[in-house]
Amino acid sequence: MDREKIITAAELMDMQFLPRSTVVDGMLPAGCYILAGAPKVGKSFLMAQLCWCVATGTPFLGQPTHRSQVLYLSLEDTGERVQGRLIRMFGVEHPSVRLVVIDTFQRVREGGGAQYSYQSDYEEIRPFKEFTDIHDVALILVHHTRKNTESENSFDRISGTNGLLGAADGAFLLYREKGRVILDQTGKDLPGQRMILDFDPQRCLWTVVSREAEIAEPPEPLLDLIDQVIGGGW
């Protein structure tokens, strides 16, 4: 570790930190986040709606937004398809950037499937996290979920290892369960929450049916890593 990165507790207590920006009140402060969901569940529509709401300063899923410019990198859609979606959803958009969406994370990953590990996943998220810390923006990486998992924790559905969540500031999980569409949220600076959503296929917009105050937090990834290193029993 570099010497300039080592500080004492007294030095840390003397430091002053500026408050971070908020993009969506109670939901999206500045930081690096993952939005995961199965194909065709509506992730891209949800992100397009978020970007539009932030760009226009209108509420997103019932929560106030702080108006700013937005950068939406739609790496799997043609310009014609994105334009068509925006026209159906909102009409014509009139655009300082505080929100960046990368759709999808897989298109900007460097490693291969056989190389994925806790460390490699952590290292792939870390540059995005450092970027948000430097520029005080919220960045969302759209990602996929695995098909089958027996875990009771919904966030274990996110494709990859716990290294992704270990490096990120939080995550959103969009999934269908028992005829409902659920959006779970967890984060380091916000309590977990769950929203039941409804999708209007005519306008391609999501709305909130109900909201739960808190959900169970995912396990601390560091503890899982320690357990692997010492061979179990942690």
Side-chain angles (χ1 to χ4, degrees), residues 33 122 129 165-171 186-191 217 220:
Y33 302 88
Y122 189 98
K129 164 62 177 169
L165 279 179
D169 289 295
T186 186
K188 297 175 180 177
D189 297 322
L190 291 173
E217 296 293 327
E220 171 54 54

Side-chain angles (χ1 to χ4, degrees), residues 51-52 54-56 67-71 92-97:
C51 290
W52 176 270
V54 173
T56 58
R67 185 175 182 178
S68 72
Q69 292 186 354
V70 173
L71 177 61
V92 181
E93 180 180 3
H94 297 281
S96 47
V97 171

Side-chain angles (χ1 to χ4, degrees), residues 98-140:
R98 282 290 173 264
L99 173 63
V100 179
V101 175
I102 299 180
D103 189 356
T104 63
F105 176 47
Q106 194 64 33
R107 295 298 297 270
V108 296
R109 299 192 77 169
E110 295 183 357
Q115 302 173 358
Y116 293 154
S117 63
Y118 182 100
Q119 182 176 356
S120 65
D121 280 349
Y122 189 98
E123 290 300 322
E124 291 211 7
I125 294 292
R126 189 165 58 87
F128 298 102
K129 164 62 177 169
E130 292 175 348
F131 174 84
T132 63
D133 289 343
I134 293 171
H135 297 284
D136 192 30
V137 301
L139 185 150
I140 299 178

